Amino acid sequence: MKYRPARVIAAALASALALTVSGCSLENAGNGDTVKVVIGYQSKTINTVTAGTLLKAKGFLEQRLNALSAKGGAKYQVEWQDYDTGAPITAQMVAEKIDIGSMGDYPLLINGSRTQANERSRTELVSITGYNPKGALNMVVVAPDSKAQSINDLAGQKISASVGSAGHGTLVQALTRAGIDPKSGVEVLNQQPQIGSSALESGQVAALSQFVAWPGLLVFQNKAKLLYDGAELNVPTFHGVVARRDYAKQHPEVLDAFLQAQLDATDFIHQHPLEAAQTVADNAGLAPEVVYLYNGPGGTSFDTTLKPSLLAAFKGDVPYLKSIGDFADLDIDKFVDPAALKQAYQERGLNYDAELAINANPLPGSGGELWLTGQDTTQSLADPTALLRAVKQARAQGKTVRAAYVPDAELGTRWFADKAIWVRDGDNYLPFTTPAAAQRYLAKHAAGAIVGFDQAVNEVRV
């Protein structure tokens, strides 16, 4: 499995440099000789794991801070606070009760807008956790027996979404492109992901629009099927890290340690994706197969750099603020500050600008990936048809498929093979995430035909 070469890890050097740069002393350490840092994260939002669930589970931040203390600095106390969405993290940052937090792009807009009125609560975007260049991290799902075939079929229906979340932002864009007014054309129920999931299951809503990992989780549990893939928007979506400027100014060594720890976690997920997925699953209460859907090869691009393409999309999202309430204008250029991240790269002997220019997924996918029960490694396949053959051979040998993943033939979105819409075209089999995507292909390829996953496995030539 290929991934970018691991960054040079030099904990002792990084710690020494951080102390030198910060000038932190016991006199300015805060409560006695102990500096406290409160981290807000979302354990089930697995696009933020390198700044949240995985980072916490591996203890990378504590290790970095302990190294600082060993050099004669203050003692450090880390407090982790887990939330379902970014909104409560922002509320706690406004109240100056959370120092560093991670959340999606739309919540980051709200965070920047809400916190800027007070210098002590004012935040800055300091790094990216993960992103998808086309927007595939947000999706709309419907009940398994729904007759809906595209986003257009939701006109006049009730849709559950967490207003202000990345999932809601995608819904607004998708409806708008379909010619449906997001305010009057549908009824959006502002609900937390768990509540919305229950509402979908009980038939109270026609659809649910959410961020990772909720769409994949519900589909994996056979409680929903995918209706709309956010990648259709072809607009980057990302999650990132914000820090209170006042806290970072008082304790720059803590922010540096956090960013160094985030880089540690990013390296780990690139080098050990399956182990990382299991760790996240164990600590987030999610199925490993669902975590690996997003955190595996060809899924989320875990890259800390603040790429121009992401910031351009971020600026394009600013009008969303006014569409959901009375928010202060947000100057993205002033909100984003890569200085601390650049310093973290420099301390590791790395070139920030060089990595900033790389747009490829650091952990590229293949034409398919097969995970068999009882195996602690996966098999990469050249293309989706080859994956079908591998599944057929595994079944013939009495083996059980734990999970199989394929990239959507049109958009490239990594998805569950057995949940995809398969089209047979000659001897080739093509997977699509949604019925609409399959129909777009069939409109141009009259010889193609939709087949079920098991049918495709049974009839593929080995």
Side-chain angles (χ1 to χ4, degrees), residues 230-360:
E232 287 192 35
L233 293 174
N234 197 27
V235 176
T237 184
F238 65 91
H239 289 64
V241 176
V242 280
R244 286 197 300 112
R245 292 175 186 265
D246 183 66
Y247 183 88
K249 183 178 180 180
Q250 291 185 52
H251 306 294
E253 83 287 359
V254 175
L255 178 58
D256 180 76
F258 183 91
L259 293 173
Q260 293 284 358
Q262 186 189 347
L263 289 170
D264 293 340
T266 303
D267 283 340
F268 186 86
I269 206 169
H270 290 163
Q271 297 170 40
H272 312 286
L274 198 60
E275 181 183 344
Q278 186 65 63
T279 298
V280 171
D282 291 343
N283 286 271
L286 293 169
E289 298 88 344
V290 174
V291 178
Y292 196 59
L293 169 69
Y294 296 108
N295 288 184
T300 301
S301 291
F302 285 100
D303 185 329
T304 59
T305 59
L306 293 149
K307 297 190 181 300
S309 60
L310 301 182
L311 299 183
F314 199 38
K315 291 178 180 180
D317 293 337
V318 170
Y320 170 81
L321 284 172
K322 297 296 184 181
S323 75
I324 62 171
D326 184 19
F327 287 91
D329 292 331
L330 179 63
D331 187 325
I332 299 299
D333 291 327
K334 293 181 179 179
F335 179 51
V336 177
D337 189 350
L341 185 60
K342 288 182 177 180
Q343 177 183 313
Y345 268 76
Q346 183 178 2
E347 289 169 2
R348 297 167 86 101
L350 299 172
N351 187 324
Y352 176 85
D353 291 332
E355 187 149 343
L356 181 70
I358 300 175
N359 292 310

Side-chain angles (χ1 to χ4, degrees), residues 99-382:
D99 306 307
I100 300 173
S102 56
M103 60 193 72
D105 40 14
Y106 286 91
L108 284 167
L109 287 175
I110 296 173
N111 182 282
S113 176
R114 288 292 194 209
T115 62
Q116 65 177 301
N118 178 1
E119 281 302 317
R120 286 179 58 84
S121 67
R122 190 183 183 100
T123 60
E124 56 190 1
L125 178 61
V126 296
S127 69
I128 300 298
T129 56
Y131 73 93
N132 183 281
K134 293 185 176 181
L137 299 172
N138 308 308
M139 295 175 166
V140 180
V141 295
V142 293
D145 60 353
S146 172
K147 302 300 182 184
Q149 294 292 300
S150 72
I151 197 76
N152 302 75
D153 296 325
L154 297 182
Q157 303 292 311
K158 292 182 179 179
I159 305 173
S160 175
S162 303
V163 174
S165 72
H168 181 244
T170 291
L171 177 64
V172 169
Q173 288 194 65
L175 290 171
T176 301
R177 290 196 183 187
I180 302 172
D181 190 312
K183 291 185 176 180
S184 62
V186 297
E187 181 181 352
V188 175
L189 302 187
N190 184 13
Q191 298 175 322
Q192 292 286 79
Q194 298 96 323
I195 303 300
S197 299
S198 297
L200 180 67
E201 192 173 1
S202 64
Q204 297 176 38
V205 296
L208 171 79
S209 183
Q210 281 295 353
F211 48 85
V212 295
W214 293 99
L217 175 63
L218 293 174
V219 170
F220 176 76
Q221 295 174 333
N222 294 317
K223 294 179 179 179
K225 62 182 179 182
L226 188 59
L227 178 73
Y228 185 84
D229 183 344
E232 287 192 35
L233 293 174
N234 197 27
V235 176
T237 184
F238 65 91
H239 289 64
V241 176
V242 280
R244 286 197 300 112
R245 292 175 186 265
D246 183 66
Y247 183 88
K249 183 178 180 180
Q250 291 185 52
H251 306 294
E253 83 287 359
V254 175
L255 178 58
D256 180 76
F258 183 91
L259 293 173
Q260 293 284 358
Q262 186 189 347
L263 289 170
D264 293 340
T266 303
D267 283 340
F268 186 86
I269 206 169
H270 290 163
Q271 297 170 40
H272 312 286
L274 198 60
E275 181 183 344
Q278 186 65 63
T279 298
V280 171
D282 291 343
N283 286 271
L286 293 169
E289 298 88 344
V290 174
V291 178
Y292 196 59
L293 169 69
Y294 296 108
N295 288 184
T300 301
S301 291
F302 285 100
D303 185 329
T304 59
T305 59
L306 293 149
K307 297 190 181 300
S309 60
L310 301 182
L311 299 183
F314 199 38
K315 291 178 180 180
D317 293 337
V318 170
Y320 170 81
L321 284 172
K322 297 296 184 181
S323 75
I324 62 171
D326 184 19
F327 287 91
D329 292 331
L330 179 63
D331 187 325
I332 299 299
D333 291 327
K334 293 181 179 179
F335 179 51
V336 177
D337 189 350
L341 185 60
K342 288 182 177 180
Q343 177 183 313
Y345 268 76
Q346 183 178 2
E347 289 169 2
R348 297 167 86 101
L350 299 172
N351 187 324
Y352 176 85
D353 291 332
E355 187 149 343
L356 181 70
I358 300 175
N359 292 310
N361 191 325
L363 189 61
S366 61
E369 189 174 4
L370 182 62
W371 186 4
L372 297 176
T373 299
Q375 298 290 322
D376 56 6
T377 59
T378 61
Q379 179 183 357
S380 295
L381 287 308

Side-chain angles (χ1 to χ4, degrees), residues 11 36 80 96 145 182 190 223 240 262 271 281 357 439-440 460:
K36 182 178 180 180
W80 296 88
E96 303 168 30
D145 60 353
N190 184 13
K223 294 179 179 179
Q262 186 189 347
Q271 297 170 40
Q439 290 301 324
R440 285 193 291 270
V460 69

